[in-house]
Amino acid sequence: MTRPITLALAAAMLATSPASAAEPRTLPGVEDPYKSTAFIADPMPAIDAALATAKQSGKPVLLVMGTGGCHDSAWLANLIATDRFAPVRARYEIIYADIGMPHVRGWGRNPEVAKRFRFKIKGTPTVAILDADGRVLNRKAAPKWRNAASRSDDEIYNELMG
């Protein structure tokens, strides 16, 4: 006798539940938050310049290794460009290095970037925080960004500003 009531309750809850987390998210002023042109095709000179600037400014470098066609990489780049993330942009020298998707055979680019910082790329984006000498400060956390589009904006903000 309780089974029909349980099914009815479940059906009612589904009908009033919020949109699925799998539905595409939006960002203000961004036509497609899952595509980005922020990633630099030849990133090594930009990385060197960011490290040189970091020596002068004292800021760490946020090196986002990914590609504009990866939904997680693009989401992160577009999110960081929003007004809310202005403090993140002020805190770091930021470089978006186009490494393609080296975890997919034949889709990698610029392998010297990952090699320079001793990463084996398991997914994109891989987000390294570097000191001015190029030392990775978040080695364990860097590969855990490959779900960036699934993370809350608050979680991303807090991790980058923490």
Side-chain angles (χ1 to χ4, degrees):
M1 182 164 221
T2 60
R3 184 168 170 84
I5 294 171
T6 305
L7 290 175
L9 181 60
M13 289 173 64
L14 275 175
T16 60
S17 67
S20 165
E23 289 183 18
R25 296 166 62 191
T26 60
L27 288 171
V30 179
E31 185 176 332
D32 184 351
Y34 299 101
K35 301 283 183 206
S36 174
T37 58
F39 291 85
I40 302 168
D42 183 15
M44 291 304 266
I47 292 168
D48 290 337
L51 289 169
T53 301
K55 281 186 189 265
Q56 295 173 346
S57 70
K59 294 180 185 180
V61 173
L62 186 69
L63 175 60
V64 181
M65 295 173 275
T67 189
C70 164
H71 72 280
D72 288 299
S73 298
W75 175 266
L76 183 60
N78 286 318
L79 183 64
I80 289 173
T82 65
D83 289 345
R84 176 174 183 210
F85 280 73
V88 171
R89 293 191 308 276
R91 181 178 186 171
Y92 296 98
E93 301 295 334
I94 302 175
I95 297 296
Y96 297 97
D98 186 354
I99 63 163
M101 290 190 265
H103 53 288
V104 179
R105 187 176 174 99
W107 287 28
R109 291 187 287 277
N110 298 307
E112 67 277 7
V113 175
K115 184 177 181 179
R116 178 176 180 175
F117 299 103
R118 297 185 330 268
F119 280 105
K120 179 176 178 173
I121 304 296
K122 297 176 183 175
T124 53
T126 296
V127 180
I129 298 172
L130 311 172
D131 70 10
D133 293 320
R135 288 186 294 260
V136 178
L137 303 176
N138 68 329
R139 182 141 323 263
K140 284 186 178 183
K144 297 180 180 179
W145 285 88
R146 54 189 187 208
N147 68 345
S150 302
R151 291 183 179 191
S152 75
D153 298 357
D154 288 341
E155 180 184 352
I156 291 171
Y157 185 89
N158 292 337
E159 187 163 345
L160 294 175
M161 292 302 289

